[in-house]
Amino acid sequence: MFGLFKKKLKDVVDKFSRKTEDEVKEEKIEEPIKEEIKEEKKQKKFLGLFKVKEKEEIPEEIREEVLIEEPVTEQPEEEISKKYEEEIIEKPKKEVVAEEIHEKKKGFFEKLKGITKVKISEEKFEKLFEDLELVLLENNIAYEVIDKIKESLKMDLVNVPLSNVKKTIEKSLKESIEDVISFDKVDLLKKIKEKKPYIILFLGVNGAGKTTTIAKLCNLFLKNNLRCVLVAADTFRAASIQQLEEHAKKLGVNVIKHDYNADPAAVAYDGIKHAEAKSIDVVLIDTAGRQHSNINLMDELRKINRIAKPDFKIFVGESITGNDIIEQVKQFNEAVGIDGIILSKLDVDDKGGAAISVSYVTGKPIIYFGNGQNYDNLEEFDKEKILKNLDI
Ligand code: GDP
Ligand code: GDP
């Protein structure tokens, strides 16, 4: 998961911080130069007061020490203080003045050494963000999520004195992504144990991995000592009934089916009756894959929903579909309501943007990820794992 995305994200964060430091360097240097002149003038005045003659011969660092620790003076202390008070500030005491100048000089030298903090203007940030935005877009991060990332980066970077640009970007990115994937987890196994039979309806477009996901979940439920029945309510394709039967055989569970082209709502009804009669814990209803834009098929889905009254409706989508998945979830949700999402094929998704964005944008939780073709290639949604995989 995130193979390509992770690499690109790393590269672009590096580039962002490098560019920031390069471009802001000019400002960083300009400022101390101006200050250098001011400071020089001030020093001359100050040195004049203390009558240091060979100022030029003394190396700067040593001069600083000489100046502060043992000011060479031929004048009485009161006189120095008086003059200094008149010319610079109101602090009459020599020690205080020396200390203050020392502080100023310290700040000044730090600036010259280039370890000062940099500040990014809003304008510069907008330009710098372009590359990052492109990487996020290319890796299927939804607009809403990009906006959120941008806002938080802006808060953390713009007009804030920064000593480590890269670290700040990484921290901000991590925090906003963590925010985006922080939603209430669904404990499906717990829910199932609370009602019998527990009816789950599976929805999605063709080829998304619905049938495979049903088999994976059935396998998980069986391992948790739950009795299952599969319902072939995808009567649209003859092959899909067969496919479900094959899975059922491997898993050792029953399939309730009608003929090809039968009313899928009727099959669902039979499946539930069977479960009630046989004291089965979970009913897993497969439905025909349909495009979210197909009105007739969406109406058919409404009918199945009305009749079966599922306890939980799972949308199965391919994570590789990217942002289209968001529109699919929205449409299926409008038609029958969705309780959770399973994203399949995460193992072949190098980008992973859908895994990050889909719940945030649709408000529906991801419950599991499918990450392979075997029955146990089903992973519970785990925020920490995502962050770890992203490696930011
Ligand atoms: P429409 O309603 O069919 O016009 O679809 P939208 O363009 O509104 O997109 C639906 C959702 O998918 C939005 O909420 C976006 O987050 C997301 N989306 C769609 N296309 C893209 C895209 O090219 N890049 C990104 N990052 N997000 C997209
Ligand atoms: P359906 O049409 O939605 O029922 O999709 P299927 O369950 O028939 O799956 C379509 C194809 O995707 C099959 O070849 C599956 O083996 C494959 N598939 C399903 N889930 C995964 C997954 O998590 N990873 C990979 N790599 N392939 C998957």
Side-chain angles (χ1 to χ4, degrees), residues 205 207-212 216 237 243 344-345 347 370-373:
V205 303
K210 232 180 311 94
T211 315
T212 312
K216 287 177 182 177
R237 271 190 320 135
Q243 204 186 334
S344 67
K345 310 189 190 181
D347 53 315
N371 63 351
Q373 311 210 29

Side-chain angles (χ1 to χ4, degrees), residues 338-357:
I338 282 174
D339 300 300
I341 298 168
I342 295 183
L343 276 192
S344 67
K345 310 189 190 181
L346 211 70
D347 53 315
V348 287
D349 183 9
D350 235 8
K351 300 178 171 177
I356 292 174
S357 316

